[in-house]
Amino acid sequence: METTKTEATAPPSGGLIAAYTLALLFLANVFNYADRALLGIVIEPMRKELLLNDTQISIVSGLAFSMFFLVAGIAVARWVDRGNRKLILILGIIVWSAATAATGWTLDFYSLAVARMLVGIGEAAVFPVAMSLLADYYPGPRLSRSVSIFQASSGVGVMVGSILAGILAAALGWRSMFEVFGAAGIVFALLVLLTMRPTPRAKTSNQTLEAGGFIGTLKAIFSVPGMAWLAFGYGASNMVLACLPIWSPTFLLRSHGVELAQVGALVGPPAVIGGIAGGILSGILATKLIQRTGNRGAGLLVPIVALPLAVPAFAVFLFAPTLPVVLLGIAVMNFMLASSLGPCVALAVSLVTPTRRGMTSTLMLIVQTLLAFAFGPLLIGVVSDALTPSHGQEALRYALSVMLIAPLAASAMLFIARGKIKAD
């Protein structure tokens, strides 16, 4: 075991620099999720041109993206805990933006899969960089609120991406749409390069540098009481949220006859308004509960209560006969589902030392990605293809319904996590 002395400099807590850093991280994640949402909007024209089925679409949108996202995420997390976080963020933005532009040049399933793999590698940088920086800039109970604000950017990204993708794809074609978004990401990377202030690390006196390398770090993180339940509860809580950007536009096209140019504008605003409101409000409530009780696990009460309430709203989205009621179901569902985004991650990084924050946030992201972005969309695609001979265009509706159990399971796992963390 080795120790280091306290650093002479430390990031300022709060203030304008912290707020601007949070704003840049927010925008980075907007681009991140906007690029993820693009594929879902143009699945139908892309599927027809490249001759793909729903299972292949689910592989390129979920499995191919997620596997390389995970592999890169582990390496990036180790780098984040030791390296230049600004540089890591910039490189990530450049890689995923270039890969997004390259998606417009794909010719078949295999080239599309490679492009999505590269997008996954680039996007693995944002989350660990953000969690590491926010934990330095907003220590203590304020971390839950700042993480919730950051997480709300995912909804903004989905809305912006969905609306612009529908408009640009209808006007220019789906290939040019990907190229435009890729170029915009490169421009944003230049903004980060020129304006983001390099951030010194907050280190405690006699901070311990753990021996044992990667495996030792993993064991140390998962030895924290309740951490495994927290990670799997967080992943399960995101399963519906992850599947919707991929499959809800196609669902509206097939089951409700919505036009391509309109689908993003219809599904984006209610989904995002509900998600942003739910995410920010959950962060505020979690912060107040933590401050009132003095127990950092108290914030989990918010998603434990809210997640089961998302189930009836999801059922409304799937089975309501009219489009306005469907859109209302999306808004209420996302409001409830977003309750887990801030409290879970903020709690996880607060339970470990500063040198484990990047890896801890990435492990949370790995579990989320495996459950929500890899397994969930793939399951829906396989079930949809299996039901198509008997249910035709409505097969996707019933395939989506398999996700109804996910919020209930997530709430149960977070309840167990809270009990173990409180007991410790």
Side-chain angles (χ1 to χ4, degrees):
M1 306 292 286
E2 299 176 355
T3 58
T4 62
K5 296 181 180 179
T6 305
E7 283 191 344
T9 58
S13 178
L16 290 178
I17 294 175
Y20 184 69
T21 302
L22 175 57
L24 284 178
L25 294 172
F26 186 99
L27 289 174
N29 213 37
V30 167
F31 275 91
N32 182 346
Y33 275 84
D35 285 358
R36 293 191 195 188
L38 305 183
L39 190 63
I41 298 299
V42 297
I43 278 178
E44 284 301 281
M46 178 182 286
R47 183 177 64 84
K48 292 175 181 177
E49 183 173 337
L50 301 183
L51 304 177
L52 307 177
N53 58 36
D54 282 354
T55 299
Q56 290 175 313
I57 287 292
S58 66
I59 290 173
V60 297
S61 61
L63 193 62
F65 170 89
S66 300
M67 291 302 98
F68 279 79
F69 182 91
L70 296 181
V71 173
I74 294 172
V76 169
R78 299 282 285 175
W79 191 12
V80 166
D81 284 335
R82 293 162 173 77
N84 185 322
R85 291 171 286 187
K86 175 181 175 180
L87 174 63
I88 296 167
L89 178 63
I90 292 169
L91 291 176
I93 296 170
I94 291 173
V95 169
W96 93 58
S97 298
T100 297
T103 305
W105 309 333
T106 54
L107 301 175
D108 53 21
F109 168 75
Y110 298 102
S111 57
L112 179 59
V114 170
R116 297 305 294 174
M117 291 173 187
L118 292 174
V119 171
I121 291 173
E123 291 188 355
V126 178
F127 195 74
V129 168
M131 293 304 102
S132 179
L133 286 173
L134 292 179
D136 281 349
Y137 277 118
Y138 295 96
R142 293 182 302 165
L143 179 60
S144 184
R145 183 169 58 227
S146 67
V147 171
S148 292
I149 293 172
F150 168 78
Q151 293 278 49
S153 61
S154 61
V156 176
V158 170
M159 180 175 69
V160 172
S162 298
I163 293 174
L164 292 181
I167 295 172
L168 292 174
L172 305 175
W174 64 267
R175 295 183 181 274
S176 296
M177 179 270 293
F178 280 109
E179 294 168 0
V180 169
F181 271 90
I186 298 296
V187 172
F188 177 70
L190 293 176
L191 175 67
V192 175
L193 174 65
L194 296 174
T195 66
M196 186 177 187
R197 179 173 173 175
T199 307
R201 294 179 181 275
K203 290 188 178 181
T204 59
S205 180
N206 295 327
Q207 180 180 346
T208 301
L209 298 179
E210 299 82 3
F214 173 67
I215 299 300
T217 301
L218 288 182
K219 290 180 179 178
I221 292 171
F222 278 113
S223 69
V224 175
M227 183 67 80
W229 287 105
L230 179 62
F232 279 94
Y234 175 69
S237 74
N238 280 265
M239 291 185 75
V240 175
L241 286 175
C243 292
L244 286 178
I246 297 171
W247 289 117
S248 62
T250 304
F251 168 65
L252 294 179
L253 287 167
R254 294 181 186 177
S255 296
H256 293 276
V258 177
E259 298 293 331
L260 175 62
Q262 300 174 339
V263 66
L266 282 175
V267 74
V272 172
I273 291 171
I276 291 175
I280 293 177
L281 181 60
S282 69
I284 294 172
L285 291 176
T287 298
K288 291 185 179 297
L289 286 171
I290 294 169
Q291 291 172 334
R292 179 176 298 178
T293 64
N295 173 19
R296 53 189 168 188
L300 288 184
L301 283 173
V302 179
I304 288 170
V305 173
L307 288 172
L309 300 177
V311 175
F314 187 26
V316 168
F317 163 68
L318 291 176
F319 298 108
T322 61
L323 192 57
V325 180
V326 169
L327 299 179
L328 177 62
I330 291 177
V332 176
M333 172 184 63
N334 278 22
F335 180 87
M336 298 301 175
L337 292 173
S339 64
S340 69
L341 297 180
C344 291
V345 180
L347 175 59
V349 298
S350 75
L351 294 172
V352 299
T353 61
T355 55
R356 291 172 176 163
R357 287 172 181 164
M359 183 58 71
T360 300
S361 62
T362 296
L363 289 176
M364 294 285 287
L365 199 60
I366 285 172
V367 177
Q368 177 204 38
T369 301
L370 286 173
L371 288 177
F373 290 97
F375 175 71
L378 179 61
L379 176 62
I380 291 171
V382 171
V383 173
S384 178
D385 281 339
L387 294 178
T388 295
S390 58
H391 292 81
Q393 290 283 87
E394 293 300 302
L396 184 57
R397 184 196 302 271
Y398 296 103
L400 284 165
S401 67
V402 302
M403 290 290 111
L404 285 167
I405 192 65
L408 299 174
S411 179
M413 286 186 276
L414 294 180
F415 180 81
I416 295 172
R418 179 176 177 271
K420 290 183 176 294
I421 293 168
K422 186 177 180 180
D424 181 63

